[in-house]
């Protein structure tokens, strides 16, 4: 399986020391050097151009039973080998495409447990990825890679973001196209081609180890798959009564139930769907949603602040109107300040490692996800309080006309304005209630009404 010197990159290493006789220096496509001894079929990553290292390697080789290695096998000697310590040498069988630390591990795939084969195959491709120059790629490697990628592509089409295969749909398509180009543009003895397929098959067999490839029946596999797939958002951690009751009051009353929406968003962003790329996609969707909402809140808060400042500039307003206007100004400014800061932080921290840190801190912060959802909802909550304060101040300013008495035109205008304000308030509350209950289960509500009517 030795390759010709034309394609094997058997180049003399750039060193003042020559390669010892009987050894061949190979330069990996990535750039590092390893050494191969064709006669004994030994590979080493140590620099045998140094006489002391070569002496240690040859002393170790003198104690190894090379007669046990059959055709198609070779040996990777460990770093700084000690004589007679053969348990650290990697035995590689190119015929069975397996590698292990004993001859029994790699001799045959017959009557061997599937888990054993899966692990030995991954070790083999990991070895070949790092030492691709001196051997040809096994002939079945390309078809095995094609079959696996075809299934991965189909699994992406079937399950979408819930797919657990190691490559996304786009990556499978790119890899299949690359394999097709390798057939026409590259020689079978190209080290880069061997390293590419070895890397690909290492990832495939690593995935198969986690999937218990070839070990479970369909029923066992289905149970295993169901246990690891998330059914819905993560459940909230339980709180004791003295924390849960005031916390629910704050969320539902003071924060207008707004944190509940952000709580669901952060739960969805915390789910793991089988692939890190999917986690990154979900995180990107989460940050885009947060950024878009904060931008809308900033626009509304700016308009509200301008309107409130205009109200405060009106002459002869009373203390109630002035106090409500000042509260609205501070609430609007608080919404803008927190919104700008959160907008900046969510836009700049977009790396995957930063998303893991964010989610970890969100889960382990004060009151867990509930507390984090309350912090996220501060811009809209302060905006709502600003609108309420502005409405109170404007109504108070309108009510100033009632103090003028019924004989003035201001009194009549004030009553008309207050009546229209009350009507609009009723419509707003009605609309808020309708939209708040729109996503509730109507059947439960109708069932309750039916039970009450039956009792009557």
């Amino acid at each position: 399986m030795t390759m010709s010197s034309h394609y094997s990159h058997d180049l003399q290493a750039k060193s003042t020391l020559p390669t010892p006789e009987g050894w061949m220096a190979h330069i990996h496509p990535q750039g590092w050097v390893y050494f191969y001894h064709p006669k004994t079929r030994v590979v080493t990553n140590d620099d045998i151009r140094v006489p002391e290292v070569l002496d240690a390697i040859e002393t170790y080789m003198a104690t190894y039973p090379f007669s046990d290695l059959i055709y198609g096998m070779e040996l990777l000697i460990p770093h700084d080998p000690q004589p007679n310590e053969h348990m650290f040498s990697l035995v590689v069988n190119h015929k069975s495409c397996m590698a292990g630390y004993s001859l029994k591990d790699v001799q045959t795939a017959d009557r061997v447990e599937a888990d054993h084969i899966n692990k030995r195959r991954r070790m083999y491709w990991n070895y070949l990825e790092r030492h691709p120059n001196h051997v040809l790629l096994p002939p079945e490697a390309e078809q095995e890679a094609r079959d696996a990628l075809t299934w991965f592509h189909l699994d992406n089409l079937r399950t979408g973001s819930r797919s657990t295969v190691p490559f996304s749909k786009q990556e499978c398509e790119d890899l299949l196209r690359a394999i097709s180009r390798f057939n026409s543009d590259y020689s079978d003895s190209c080290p880069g081609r061997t390293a590419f397929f070895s890397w690909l098959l290492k990832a495939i067999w690593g995935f198969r180890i986690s999937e218990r490839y070839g070990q479970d029946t369909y029923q066992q596999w289905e149970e295993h798959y169901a246990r690891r797939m998330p059914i819905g958002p993560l459940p909230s951690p339980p709180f004791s009564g003295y924390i849960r009751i005031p916390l629910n009051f704050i969320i539902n009353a003071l924060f207008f139930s707004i944190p509940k929406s952000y709580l669901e968003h952060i739960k969805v962003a915390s789910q793991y769907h089988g692939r890190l790329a999917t986690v990154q996609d979900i995180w990107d969707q989460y940050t885009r949603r947060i950024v878009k909402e904060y931008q809308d809140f900033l626009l509304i808060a700016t308009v509200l602040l301008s309107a409130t400042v205009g109200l405060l500039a009106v002459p002869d307003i009373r203390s109630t109107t002035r106090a409500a206007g000042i509260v609205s100004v501070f609430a609007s400014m608080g919404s803008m300040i927190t919104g700008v800061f959160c907008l900046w932080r969510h836009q700049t921290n977009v790396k995957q490692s930063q998303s893991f840190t964010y989610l970890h801190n969100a889960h382990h912060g004060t009151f867990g996800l509930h507390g984090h959802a309350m912090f996220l909802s501060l811009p809209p909550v302060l905006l709502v309080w600003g609108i309420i304060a502005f409405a109170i101040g404007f109504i108070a300013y309108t009510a100033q006309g009632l103090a003028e008495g019924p004989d003035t035109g201001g009194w009549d205008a004030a009553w008309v304005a207050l009546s229209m304000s009350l009507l609009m308030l009723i419509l707003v509350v009605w609309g808020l209630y309708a939209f708040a209950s729109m996503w509730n289960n109507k059947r439960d509500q109708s069932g309750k009404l039916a039970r009450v009517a039956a009792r009557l």
Side-chain angles (χ1 to χ4, degrees), residues 380-396:
V381 168
L382 291 173
L383 180 60
V384 171
W385 278 114
I387 294 174
I388 292 174
F390 177 80
I392 293 174
F394 200 81
I395 292 174

Side-chain angles (χ1 to χ4, degrees), residues 1-11 22-26 34-43 71-74 94 124 127-128 131-138 187-191 194:
M1 302 180 70
T2 302
M3 295 163 44
S4 63
S5 59
H6 180 69
Y7 292 103
S8 65
H9 292 191
D10 297 341
L11 304 178
W23 291 87
M24 300 178 66
H26 296 273
Y34 72 93
F35 301 90
Y36 176 63
H37 194 275
K39 184 176 180 180
T40 56
R41 290 168 291 171
V42 168
V43 176
Y71 177 76
M73 290 186 179
E74 63 187 38
H94 293 290
Y124 173 80
Y127 164 81
L128 200 60
H131 309 89
N133 294 58
H134 66 286
V135 292
L136 292 172
L137 184 72
S187 167
D188 292 343
S189 56
C190 174
T194 302

Side-chain angles (χ1 to χ4, degrees), residues 19 150 170 187 234 252 297:
T19 302
T150 301
Q170 183 61 47
S187 167
L234 297 174
N252 295 320
F297 296 147

Side-chain angles (χ1 to χ4, degrees), residues 218-295:
Y218 174 74
Q219 289 77 12
Q220 294 170 334
W221 175 88
E222 199 172 37
E223 293 175 1
H224 176 69
Y225 183 82
R227 283 196 301 268
R228 68 184 182 183
M229 281 294 103
I231 300 175
L234 297 174
S236 301
F239 292 108
S240 57
Y242 69 90
I243 295 179
R244 184 178 64 254
I245 294 175
L247 187 63
N248 288 336
F249 172 77
I250 294 174
I251 291 176
N252 295 320
L254 300 182
F255 280 66
F256 310 102
S257 299
I258 296 176
K260 292 182 178 179
S261 298
Y262 290 96
L263 182 62
E264 294 303 315
H265 293 337
I266 193 66
K267 285 181 178 180
V268 172
S270 301
Q271 291 182 3
Y272 175 67
H273 291 271
R275 191 188 299 117
L276 290 179
T278 304
V279 175
Q280 183 64 33
D281 291 341
I282 295 175
W283 171 253
D284 292 340
Q285 295 173 10
Y286 170 78
T287 54
R288 284 196 298 268
R289 182 189 295 114
I290 293 290
V291 168
K292 179 63 170 63
E293 291 179 357
Y294 285 169
Q295 288 174 340

Side-chain angles (χ1 to χ4, degrees), residues 62-74:
T63 64
Y64 194 88
F66 285 99
S67 58
D68 296 338
L69 296 181
I70 62 175
Y71 177 76
M73 290 186 179
E74 63 187 38

